[in-house]
Amino acid sequence: FAAEGPVFCSGHDLKELSSEDDVKHHSQVFELCAEVMTLIQKLPVPVIAKVNGLATAAGCQLVASCDIAVASEKSQFATPGVNIGLFCSTPAVALGRSLPRKVALEMLFTGEPLSAHEALMHGLVSKVVPEDKLEEETMKICQKICESSKSILALGKATFYRQITQDLDTAYKITTKVMVDNLTLRDGQEGIEAFVQKRKPVWSH
């Protein structure tokens, strides 16, 4: 995900949330947003946010929902809903799963933004780079990912999100079975054979 201009994403259009619209319309707006955010983690490919500018409210939620986020040094991240009387409760779902609780709550309670480097320090983004290097650094990550098997990436991503919410024993049971299943895949065997034969693998995708 990327954007043109000084704002990455400012979240919902507040004009859509006025009292002129009914509760049903408001429910549809937030349900659609939640569907988009959860779909990102269900997609079988890695999703990267390329952030150059301000990401606020649902825009900050979008960054937190992506698998990887690369930000320029000028980027900022905020959940300022509390300041206009609309607490960022849905963004809090993604923030609370990406940031330490006290950092997320300070953002939610104050609406004050995190700088790009603060976002990196707390784990909201993966990497911070100068603005003129943002495209290059993001594409480096994309190109590296694209060297791997699509089916193996899909399996790995789905398993990561499945196990991350489990207790330790359950997480290891899940991932142990997946490792065995991984070996039965064509690309699982191709990768091992290529490593042993000291050649580049030829993925089935």
Side-chain angles (χ1 to χ4, degrees), residues 127-145:
K127 185 178 280 193
V128 174
V129 297
E131 184 178 7
D132 62 352
K133 297 285 185 187
L134 182 60
E135 176 70 16
E136 179 187 339
E137 290 298 321
T138 306
M139 289 311 298
K140 271 187 194 174
I141 295 170
C142 293
Q143 286 158 1
K144 184 61 183 169
I145 289 170

Side-chain angles (χ1 to χ4, degrees), residues 47-132:
V47 179
I48 301 173
K50 184 180 82 170
V51 187
N52 189 29
L54 190 61
T56 62
C60 190
Q61 179 184 4
L62 180 61
V63 175
S65 298
C66 287
D67 302 312
I68 296 171
V70 184
S72 71
E73 291 173 330
K74 77 173 190 180
S75 298
Q76 290 188 306
F77 306 85
T79 48
V82 69
N83 298 327
I84 59 161
L86 183 63
F87 197 87
C88 285
S89 292
T90 47
V93 175
L95 275 186
R97 285 161 169 75
S98 294
L99 292 168
R101 184 176 300 181
K102 288 178 175 59
V103 176
L105 286 170
E106 183 178 344
M107 287 181 72
L108 292 161
F109 290 159
T110 68
E112 288 297 304
L114 287 184
S115 69
H117 287 288
E118 287 171 325
L120 177 63
M121 179 174 67
H122 295 303
L124 182 59
V125 300
S126 325
K127 185 178 280 193
V128 174
V129 297
E131 184 178 7
D132 62 352

Side-chain angles (χ1 to χ4, degrees), residues 36-43 47 64-67 157-158 161:
V36 169
M37 300 302 169
T38 54
L39 183 61
I40 289 169
Q41 293 185 356
K42 291 176 184 174
L43 288 172
V47 179
S65 298
C66 287
D67 302 312
K157 176 174 172 174
Y161 286 113

